[in-house]
């Protein structure tokens, strides 16, 4: 997203610092500093690409003389065996930066690839696949971008760009009605009000109180279908809790608007990549 | 590890900044700032615990008045349903800090739990389960601690605390012998020299050149067993590549000293936890 | 707002660093380090208070032994002559921290005080006074809190927590309809879509395209009234541009929902305060 | 001032971070990333320019491809309607960076413009207009530069580059004589000693004690004139307190050397600018 | 100096980060985390103490449970064998923090001790021993404090708190007269103007131009004496260049006001200290 | 070392910040901003060069337009009078950056030069000269590189990349045997185990326990020779304590493998350099 690169440099510096410490001993001792090399980053499985920006910055912070030439873009579907990036520059820098750059690409493409599987599973329904705040500490913005690369859409980014009233907020405010009303009055007018409910009575109360979106927590497909029928389009509905690749199509078929899935970011396995010298 | 907490504060501040931004709108609008609450963090699956330090710091940076009382320690095996931490303090702070604290605990306990499964699988063999540098950018030290919590041992932490000569270093130096010799001469004398080989001829050359450890890359159990026989204890042997829970016991049975597994840190699924108010 | 204090420390450290440099020479040379003192911060004009958090942190970073005891809270209306804060501690620390603490209080109370004047001027109308992104670089979150202290409500905090489509976005997208549609489809579902229009035709198009809020830019009270009539409650309306204390009541009387005013934060004069030793 | 740019990058990054957060949603959703645009920053009032450096850096951190071509320099007097800066580059980056860049220019030109009005008001006298430490937290160096752009001269920048003994220091040291003597003995020899007095007896004592500069606090023009007569050039005299555009000429006419004015930095209204696309 | 501690934390964190990295392996592996210990820091040579603040902060950042009880203060003369600090707390933390804390104390006490030798050598003269900007990168403020602890006085701290016109500035401005005049007109009025000259003609010109202080660069004692005679107290005189413990008394005897010595900070040998457990 | 430059920017920014503060007043007031100049850095004594990277970065952060052209490399032996670097660019930037750049070069070349003297003194023996952790806070990595430039080899960089068991660790673990065993079992397998002993019995125990390296603390040359004889090559031996240029050759002649010397980094006098304009 435009402007997002402003945040990248501190994160990439942190990742480099923890990997390099005082420097790459093995490379310093075995590789002549004047040697130039060519390398390429290759997909070792089918995947959806994400993470080119932090990978590029990793190489350029280690050595600005390294050329980083991607042949694909974030969001592209990549077939196993495809060369995704060509690299050119001092062999020392390429070897020193390799691991950190791949760590970014493997994790973020992992998130994008898993997201794409969920998106494919609900194709044909009205449901959008959305992420949660269950992200890796420090990687929130990058993992949200990876979800978009995989065809998902983002839920709120943090506690500041969306109102989501959960059970404890309702308990503290006294009732769904009280909580929704207070949120609607005090929040910036650019934000909608979403509230989590546990049953159809809660859904009715939320609609009556003026909620814009209702999160249906851990409901069965049957309950979700009844909720959709009851809501009659007066609010948008988000299903959440216990979603996996086996049940997501069934959930989508209930007619909910959004299905949010923590596993997109907290449990996506890394994709398999390699950097090979040529 | 003693001294490791010095690094935590910047990372936890980063994680809080990306989640809180200008503040927790929902909580500010629905929860009275004077309300006190009690809560507990509960295991929703069997797991090995890791991440108490960042979780504690998360709560205390949001509100120093929050009490964080763990009833278990990093490395403990926790049964489903166990209350692992009791919390006490202003309800606003508890709600605001909850997600970031859980994100640390879920991921790090995920790493510890997966590690423990690999460790259990090789019990009875001489092999130790070790991690790699395929960690989440920014979380290197925490994920390495999680591996220890799960009963694994750490490989080098970065490019600075271990010599590991790979194929490209060998190519650049001219031969295994040349690379090992240069590394042995120039590196701090506190470090051993490890070299990656692809066949038994490479292993022989590495031993002759004076390597302390040899990494056997992507070999079959049969090849590994031949390598162990050939080495006759003259070097320590590390198996790497393509290891999973199905084949790790067979690999361990070959007699190698170490089995390194990238998935411990790059693909461990998060464990399931919840924070509930009482 | 809960969680907002996490951001304060870096800002207060920056403000102290630029004022103290290597240290407070005059105080070091003239005041005995063992002398204790009492002081109080007094309002030298009627004002609305804002800025207690950064002021408290300023004193405590200079010397944790300083006690900071406010007798009022952010948002309180303070009469000239009132003692707002009592201080107690080492005289050196009090003198060294004084200026930076007052600089925070003077500016932020200035914003709150000006906001309160606008809020008073529209009392009785449905219009809420809202701020803009025309804030002091580095003080965004504090100035937004000061607006709330003065009785205003916050517009979006930044480019990430609200959709506001302006003329250049419309030009780039091709039409109001195209821009609103694309924003509504791609944005997090927790966000409303606001679009700026310059005339009533634009307002019609925005409503038809499904905008949630329409910003009426630089319209006269007559035009605003016609817009209110035309909208018939189908969208919320925000008036913006050229608002001042002389015309704000007339604008509010047109029936718009929000009046946004850059001057709240970019041109609020500082309030007059003093710290006196007793 | 040469070397001052070293400090700019952290401040501009802070300002961008608080405005952009995870990114500019509206622009990402409505503007094609390949579109190039031209824009210009135009004065909507007569003003004195300040802030080109932070504005330039804002655009270049958002997108290094943006060209920033000023047609005027800091300190120039600009007529309403003048194009001060021409911009060229990706439309997304221009839209994303616009607000932060303008926020710097509006505030800093505001300080320069107000300073210039005070400087004009004392033209013909010996008095110089000087600033104070009553600056915006985080913007000290930039606001001091803006005062110079407006024709003023800087007082000390912080507590470390000037000795200014105030009433509480005098009370702590025991007397004006004691305080001035201690400061003169212990301070770096590159610094002069300034002391604040409240009456002519204080002025006499300060001169006798060897002060280099005497600050006359809150004196009437008559008292100031008597002070000038009494001092007979033996020290330099600075008038302070309650200075405004109505009385500054009369104060200057008393013959004091310096008139220091907190409002230059704490209450300067922002100037009116706009960035328009062409 | 009051306020100086604000700067310490980032520096001490940097020093700890580079020493600890992911943690203190040896201590973690050999020392039980529950063991408490007592230790003391002992002088192994006569010395002047400096550096207690960073040493204390080092221990408290590693483990806040460590008690740090100095029995002497910065600036005290310490005899060989004296226990300067008593420590109490977890053995792991004491061992982990030891080296960084001692590194601060050894270097800073080294600066104080060397300064004290120069101060002793000029006792009885009017000359003060002053430092320069030839300090260790990152330790400027601490080394300046160490010079004060040793009985020296500080020259300007940086390029911002003193005017010192050197040969290249004179060349650029055209003449001593031009440079001194421009500096006197434009600088904050709290600063004196110092100018470096190479001969007596330069001294005459500097005095005539209104310089406050003249730096006599690399002159012999005979030349310095002639300069003192020529100046007749109209300016203060600073001798600089080639000063050592053998010639400093002779230089002081010429009657100059200040003798500045780069070696105080750039070449002071560390003092010998040890931390022993009891 | 490859990758080490990643750490430089924060350190050089810190060094510039403390020297420049709000800017270089003298240069701003006396030197025209459009003037270009040429300068050169000249050795005023024989020396071994180190510090080119931080010096280059210092100039480029102050003004990217400055060209920095070294005619020698780190590690080169330089004769008095040699021009080591040629500089070209705006005179203001050259003057402003000069001191910080020279401070880096003087200290780091000082470390390299002293190291080279020790290395020369042991030529012909098997002993290598190694450094310690007694480095300047914040400059660890640069001073370690300077030792390499002088022909020395690095000991461990911090507490994380080497096991070094000292007397207090032994006391805590119970015995040399216990400590060595625990360290050997738990540490990353890439690290050797070094243990400090005080007599030959300790050496025997360390060898039996499986230590890789034994540090012989404060032994006389006679004791060291007996230790070498006793060890018979089963471990590597490091002599430490009380080493100076007078006794280092005698120590080396005993046959130890390493001689570690704290003074290389904690007490190396700065070399004499100057930057002259041409």
């Amino acid at each position: 997203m435009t402007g997002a690169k402003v945040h990248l440099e501190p994160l990439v510096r942190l990742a480099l610092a923890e990997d390099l410490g005082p420097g790459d001993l093995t490379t310093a001792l075995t590789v002549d500093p004047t040697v130039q090399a060519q390398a390429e980053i290759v997909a070792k499985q089918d995947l959806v690409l994400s993470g080119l920006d932090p990978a590029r910055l990793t190489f350029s912070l280690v050595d600005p003389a390294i050329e980083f030439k991607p042949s694909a873009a974030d969001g592209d579907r990549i077939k196993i065996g495809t060369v995704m990036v060509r690299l050119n520059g001092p062999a020392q820098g390429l070897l020193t930066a390799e691991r950190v750059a791949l760590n970014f690409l493997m994790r973020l493409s992992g998130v994008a690839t898993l997201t794409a599987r969920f998106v494919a599973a609900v194709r044909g329904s009205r449901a959008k696949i959305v992420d949660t705040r269950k992200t890796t500490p420090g990687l929130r913005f990058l993992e949200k971008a990876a979800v978009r690369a995989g065809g998902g859409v983002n839920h709120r980014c943090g506690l500041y760009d969306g109102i989501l009233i959960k059970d404890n907020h309702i308990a503290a405010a006294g009732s769904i009605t009280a909580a929704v009303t207070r949120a609607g009055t005090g929040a910036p007018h650019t934000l909608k009000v979403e509230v989590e409910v546990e049953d159809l009575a809660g859904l009715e109360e939320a609609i009556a109180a003026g909620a814009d979106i209702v999160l249906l927590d851990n409901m069965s497909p049957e309950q979700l279908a009844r909720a959709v029928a009851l809501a009659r389009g007066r609010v948008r509905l988000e299903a959440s809790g216990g979603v996996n690749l086996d049940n997501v199509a069934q959930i989508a078929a209930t007619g909910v608007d959004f299905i949010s899935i923590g596993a997109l970011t907290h449990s996506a396995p890394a994709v398999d990549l390699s950097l090979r010298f040529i």
Side-chain angles (χ1 to χ4, degrees), chain A:
Chain A
M1 196 163 8
T2 171
K5 287 188 204 172
V6 171
H7 301 285
L8 268 185
E9 191 173 319
L11 178 63
V12 176
R13 283 188 180 275
L14 173 63
L16 282 169
E18 71 184 11
D19 195 41
L20 305 192
D24 179 352
L25 276 170
T26 311
T27 298
L29 293 167
T30 59
V31 181
D32 189 306
T34 64
V35 172
Q36 298 290 307
Q38 286 181 297
E40 51 196 28
I41 300 178
V42 187
K44 297 178 70 176
Q45 65 169 83
D46 288 359
L47 58 89
V48 177
L49 180 58
S50 183
L52 285 175
D53 282 340
R56 178 190 291 108
L57 186 55
T58 300
F59 284 107
S60 93
L61 284 174
V62 168
D63 192 333
I66 294 175
E67 287 184 328
F68 179 98
K69 291 170 287 188
S71 54
D74 278 9
D76 284 359
R77 273 139 208 285
I78 307 291
K79 283 288 171 196
I80 183 171
T82 307
V83 173
M84 303 186 302
V85 180
R86 287 194 165 72
L87 295 152
N88 215 323
Q92 282 200 337
L94 288 169
L95 285 162
T96 298
E98 167 184 356
R99 183 74 266 140
V100 171
L102 290 184
N103 284 350
F104 277 111
L105 283 169
M106 286 169 65
R107 171 167 303 272
L108 295 170
S109 298
V111 170
T113 302
L114 181 59
T115 302
R117 295 183 65 194
F118 277 99
V119 169
V122 303
R123 194 146 295 149
S125 77
R126 67 178 290 115
K128 291 181 176 175
I129 298 298
V130 302
D131 51 34
T132 67
R133 288 167 45 241
K134 297 181 178 178
T135 57
T136 310
L139 301 188
R140 176 73 52 92
F141 299 167
L142 288 174
E143 291 184 347
K144 291 268 173 176
V147 167
R148 294 196 302 273
V153 297
N154 295 145
H155 208 299
R156 61 177 178 168
C157 198
L159 294 166
Y160 51 91
D161 66 335
I163 304 287
L164 178 40
I165 300 168
K166 299 195 178 172
D167 50 356
N168 293 305
H169 301 108
I170 293 168
S175 68
I176 289 173
T177 304
V180 170
T181 307
R182 286 160 67 166
T185 308
H189 61 279
T190 52
L191 301 182
K192 292 182 180 167
V193 174
E194 179 167 7
V195 61
E196 176 183 309
V197 303
E198 285 165 11
D199 51 30
L200 299 186
L203 173 57
E204 281 285 17
E205 183 177 352
I207 294 173
D212 297 296
I213 315 159
V214 177
L215 187 148
L216 305 164
D217 189 33
N218 267 315
M219 289 191 185
S220 67
E222 295 69 31
Q223 290 173 295
L224 290 172
R226 277 200 292 275
V228 170
L230 186 152
R232 297 194 318 277
R234 291 174 293 166
V235 289
R236 306 182 88 180
L237 295 174
E238 174 181 341
S240 181
V243 183
N244 55 47
L245 282 166
D246 291 332
N247 64 13
V248 70
Q250 197 185 358
I251 292 169
T254 63
V256 295
D257 300 283
F258 306 103
I259 303 173
S260 55
I261 306 167
L264 297 185
T265 50
H266 72 54
S267 295
V271 300
D272 198 4
L273 301 177
S274 77
L275 183 148
R276 64 184 181 215
F277 281 73
I278 50 184

